[in-house]
Amino acid sequence: MKVLETTDLEQKFQDKIDREVKIEPNDWMPDAYRKTLIRQMSQHAHSEVVGMLPEANWITRAPNLRRKAVLLAKVQDEAGHGLYLYSATETLGADREATIDDLHSGKAKYSSIFNYPALSWADIGAIGWLVDGAAIMNQVALCRCSYGPYARAMVKICKEESFHQRQGYELLTTLANGTPEQKELAQDALNRFWWPALMMFGPNDDESPNSAQSMKWKIKRLSNDELRQNFIDATVPQAELIGLKVPDENLKWNEETGHYDFTPINWDEFWQVVNGNGPCNKQRIDARRKAKENGMWVREAALAFAEKRKKKQSA
Ligand code: BYC
């Protein structure tokens, strides 16, 4: 039987990707492909879990029962997405506990957006509309990712994100059509969340070290800049429809390109936030660490119970 050289294996792997055949957990894959996926998928899982924090803060202050029920459901969905994505990451051989420890030690990244505070009830609308809106733009493309478990996880997640985006837009629409004070709250939330939402797509293509390889492997189907532009083009008319102003003086429809022109992003702010110096980085990681410590007795009790049952069965 012929033993394939790594280069043959790599060629066959790339051919499969080029033919749009999904890569499954037991298939051969280059180490670098596995590492890239573990990096991106675990960061994605962390983002879902850390992303619960700014919104969960508002559950007790929701203005009525309907809003509270919707927000509760949304935050629970995010927890589900996190668990789903940690499981998908495990199919690549990653150890879940080690992955979570990397988040708690500050070694692993998570989306920059969740280091900004939710200061008012209108921010809950802005998060749903803009943050989930940006997430869907990115995740619809990830439904066609070459790694089967990630692509399939994205299909379910996108359906839920779509409800999240709509509930946020509906909330802000209500405020924008309310009293002048309510409209002001809505505008203020848009002012604060617009630029951080654009940063969610990552650095510009020429500054993105992982993009070229991830595009070749069809992990990424559209580049950071393409997704960001699609998001702007889709979102600006939505803002106009509800009478809010996008906080960018240079925002202008360009007839020639068929896209909006916009002011370059403040990448210094982005890297400050990614590197741990955003307004809420410390608070977010402290909250996750504390949640693990506080839940330790549940883990210990579950392990003790499992151990006891094993002993009983083998007796
Ligand atoms: N924040 O080479 P690049 C949600 C890092 S949560 C922090 O372009 P890549 C929701 C990047 O990791 C949705 N770091 O990277 C939950 C890389 O550093 P490393 C979250 C960022 O991976 C609750 C470096 O910058 N979505 O929906 O090719 C409530 C260079 O970047 C960011 C996902 O996670 C950032 N914004 O592309 C509401 C989607 N951007 O790792 C909503 C999955 C970049 O080399 N992830 N970096 O040290 C992706 O699609 C890609 O990883 C990215 C970046 C487009 C984000």
Side-chain angles (χ1 to χ4, degrees):
M1 201 168 84
K2 188 177 174 254
V3 177
L4 292 173
E5 296 290 330
T6 306
T7 47
D8 289 344
L9 285 167
E10 272 173 6
Q11 190 52 51
K12 286 197 158 193
F13 172 82
Q14 189 62 50
D15 287 348
K16 226 166 145 180
I17 287 181
D18 295 343
R19 282 183 290 116
E20 300 290 332
V21 177
K22 291 277 181 250
I23 306 299
E24 297 299 337
N26 292 330
D27 294 347
W28 185 89
M29 61 185 84
D31 263 358
Y33 177 82
R34 188 185 299 277
K35 274 195 191 137
T36 290
L37 277 171
I38 291 178
R39 174 185 65 79
Q40 176 167 329
M41 289 163 66
S42 60
Q43 284 176 6
H44 195 162
H46 300 328
S47 304
E48 300 283 355
V49 171
V50 176
M52 293 161 72
L53 296 168
E55 291 180 287
N57 233 352
W58 279 91
I59 291 173
T60 53
R61 288 173 285 172
N64 59 47
L65 187 58
R66 180 170 88 88
R67 295 285 182 205
K68 191 194 280 274
V70 169
L71 185 57
L72 258 177
K74 179 186 189 302
V75 173
Q76 283 177 347
D77 284 350
E78 308 299 359
H81 299 173
L83 296 180
Y84 216 39
L85 284 164
Y86 282 127
S87 296
T89 313
E90 282 180 310
T91 66
L92 291 155
D95 178 78
R96 184 185 295 222
E97 286 307 312
T99 307
I100 293 171
D101 287 345
D102 283 347
L103 170 71
H104 295 177
S105 71
K107 192 172 152 203
K109 293 189 171 74
Y110 56 92
S111 186
S112 48
I113 190 78
F114 301 116
N115 293 306
Y116 291 86
L119 299 176
S120 77
W121 174 248
D123 288 10
I124 298 304
I127 291 174
W129 174 37
L130 302 174
V131 177
D132 287 86
I136 300 173
M137 193 55 86
N138 171 285
Q139 289 168 177
V140 165
L142 288 174
C143 292
R144 292 190 295 122
C145 160
S146 58
Y147 187 57
Y150 194 24
R152 289 189 289 273
M154 282 301 121
V155 174
K156 175 177 155 54
I157 291 177
C158 278
K159 285 184 186 158
E160 292 176 352
E161 301 288 28
S162 171
F163 146 66
H164 299 168
Q165 193 269 355
R166 277 153 196 252
Q167 66 81 35
Y169 189 57
E170 192 258 350
L171 197 166
L172 269 200
T173 304
T174 306
L175 288 178
N177 289 321
T179 63
E181 289 80 6
Q182 285 172 322
K183 184 163 184 183
E184 205 177 303
L185 273 184
Q187 181 63 54
D188 176 58
L190 172 58
N191 292 349
R192 283 180 292 105
F193 275 90
W194 177 254
W195 292 103
L198 298 190
M199 292 175 196
M200 284 176 73
F201 296 96
N204 288 135
D205 294 348
D206 51 0
E207 298 286 334
S208 159
N210 302 300
S211 274
Q213 186 60 64
S214 287
M215 297 282 280
K216 187 166 178 237
W217 279 331
K218 297 189 180 173
I219 293 173
K220 284 170 109 164
R221 293 297 189 129
L222 293 171
S223 76
N224 298 359
D225 286 333
E226 283 172 315
L227 289 167
R228 186 169 14 250
Q229 185 71 59
N230 290 348
F231 173 76
I232 293 172
D233 293 348
T235 311
V236 171
Q238 293 171 357
E240 286 169 354
L241 192 67
I242 57 174
L244 296 183
K245 189 177 177 317
V246 172
D248 181 353
E249 290 307 322
N250 297 312
L251 191 74
K252 195 164 168 270
W253 179 253
N254 183 327
E255 281 295 343
E256 269 175 41
T257 61
H259 295 291
Y260 281 94
D261 291 335
F262 58 97
T263 305
I265 285 168
N266 179 352
W267 292 114
D268 184 45
E269 174 181 329
F270 170 77
W271 288 114
Q272 284 290 334
V273 174
V274 171
N275 291 325
N277 303 317
C280 299
N281 295 59
K282 189 177 172 319
Q283 193 181 324
R284 301 292 185 236
I285 294 300
D286 283 351
R288 291 311 312 155
R289 273 201 216 114
K290 216 163 127 201
K292 182 166 180 178
E293 281 160 24
N294 289 345
M296 202 55 95
W297 69 273
V298 180
R299 290 155 186 261
E300 284 167 1
L303 281 174
F305 179 73
E307 196 60 37
K308 204 169 145 194
R309 200 167 51 175
K310 216 163 98 190
K311 270 192 194 146
K312 213 170 157 189
Q313 277 166 351
S314 60

